[in-house]
Amino acid sequence: MADLDSLVDDLRAEGNDLDALVAELTPEQWAAPTPAAGWTVAHQIAHLSWTDHVAERTTSGASGDVEAKEEFALTLKKAWENPTGFVDEAAEEESRDPELLSTWRTRRRAMNEALTQVPAGAKIDWFGPPMSAASMATARLMETWAHGQDVADAVGVTRVATDRIRGVAHIGVRTRDFAYAINQQTPPAEPFRIELTAPSGELWIWGPENATQRVSGPALDFCLLVTQRAHRDDLAVHAEGTDAAHWLTIAQAFAGPPGAGRDRAGRTQSGREQA
């Protein structure tokens, strides 16, 4: 993957693109339902705003800010008290902020700055295992992109894909075994070969050349698949091998329990998506 500065630049650009999309929306569009059941456009931005703020706090804690570290510890404690509802509760509360867009702008700027200040080798606490600053930046890019897709779908906008989605694809590949684990399945021992065509036309490759289990296709379609933003049958992602084909039915780049995915009308089949 790219170096930290490049990853933060991509994260910043992804946030700015989504900002430009929502900045001109009418109040009616902010209240429009998105494919994620129960969430409006405002809920999507509120979720990003809250998560970016939490990410900034824990990232600052990794850089030695004791108050920020304690603040994240309290957030984590509250999350464990309501593990299936804390995300929805935060989105609902934040969505009522009359200055939501301004708040999100302030928070994501602070998060991006905090990521650049993390000492080399330091680990950042999170809701799952601690991670490096590069991993945190990539995870925040994935979530910004995925929820940005929800917003775009809600307001009928087709986004132009960029090579920033490499970070999304990278997480999708690296979470292969996680997808098996949350579905209470044993992951294959053999690594897969993943070959994706970037929006720029570049070929992105993961895994050994001689792997018998292979996945290929447009990187955009793969990213929509692993973030569960489109139905498998609507995407040009191809598998060679039984194990690879099965993985595509459970692939999930985001944390939490198994996602419901989308039906062919583009709606979440049940519950809320968690990217």
Side-chain angles (χ1 to χ4, degrees), residues 30-47 87-93 95-96 147 150 154 262 266-274:
W30 276 92
T34 66
W39 279 28
T40 65
V41 169
H43 284 92
Q44 299 284 351
I45 300 304
H47 172 65
V87 171
D88 289 293
E89 287 185 357
E92 178 62 30
E93 180 178 353
S95 71
R96 295 193 290 267
H147 286 286
D150 293 334
R262 299 275 183 93
R267 299 166 300 205
T268 304
Q269 296 187 54
S270 64
R272 181 193 57 76
E273 294 166 80
Q274 286 190 302

Side-chain angles (χ1 to χ4, degrees), residues 14-194:
E14 197 64 40
N16 289 344
D17 276 3
L18 178 54
D19 189 312
L21 174 58
V22 300
E24 301 302 321
L25 295 183
T26 65
E28 291 75 18
Q29 288 173 311
W30 276 92
T34 66
W39 279 28
T40 65
V41 169
H43 284 92
Q44 299 284 351
I45 300 304
H47 172 65
L48 289 175
S49 178
W50 179 84
T51 315
D52 286 349
H53 176 63
V54 175
E56 180 273 317
R57 292 283 77 197
T58 188
T59 300
S60 295
S63 297
D65 186 328
V66 175
E67 182 178 343
K69 190 176 184 68
E70 292 175 347
E71 185 176 333
F72 175 73
L74 180 59
T75 299
L76 187 60
K77 180 177 181 295
K78 290 179 178 178
W80 281 114
E81 291 171 353
N82 184 20
T84 61
F86 77 97
V87 171
D88 289 293
E89 287 185 357
E92 178 62 30
E93 180 178 353
E94 296 278 346
S95 71
R96 295 193 290 267
D97 179 0
E99 301 297 330
L100 174 57
L101 183 55
S102 177
T103 299
W104 179 46
R105 287 169 174 167
T106 299
R107 286 174 168 178
R108 74 175 195 268
R109 281 196 297 267
M111 176 190 63
N112 293 335
E113 177 61 25
L115 284 167
T116 67
Q117 302 303 313
V118 177
K123 292 293 185 179
I124 301 171
D125 293 331
W126 197 235
F127 297 97
M131 64 181 78
S132 67
S135 292
M136 176 64 83
T138 306
R140 297 309 308 138
L141 186 150
M142 181 273 290
E143 185 165 28
T144 302
W145 181 84
H147 286 286
Q149 187 63 45
D150 293 334
V151 172
D153 288 343
V155 299
V157 170
T158 300
R159 300 191 296 177
V160 177
T162 73
D163 279 11
R164 292 194 298 269
I165 63 172
R166 182 165 190 165
V168 183
H170 181 76
I171 292 181
V173 172
R174 298 305 183 198
T175 52
R176 187 201 73 166
D177 289 2
F178 164 75
Y180 280 88
I182 62 172
N183 284 279
Q184 299 183 341
Q185 300 173 19
T186 302
E190 178 189 355
F192 294 174
R193 174 78 164 187
I194 315 297

Side-chain angles (χ1 to χ4, degrees), residues 178-241:
F178 164 75
Y180 280 88
I182 62 172
N183 284 279
Q184 299 183 341
Q185 300 173 19
T186 302
E190 178 189 355
F192 294 174
R193 174 78 164 187
I194 315 297
E195 297 183 353
L196 304 175
T197 304
S200 65
E202 182 182 353
L203 185 64
W204 296 337
I205 297 173
W206 293 263
E209 186 175 0
N210 63 350
T212 60
Q213 303 293 320
R214 309 172 75 90
V215 170
S216 61
L220 174 59
D221 285 20
F222 180 79
C223 291
L224 290 168
L225 176 74
V226 299
T227 59
Q228 298 186 2
R229 260 53 188 187
H231 192 277
R232 168 78 180 87
D233 293 344
D234 293 330
L235 301 170
V237 181
H238 304 288
E240 298 177 31

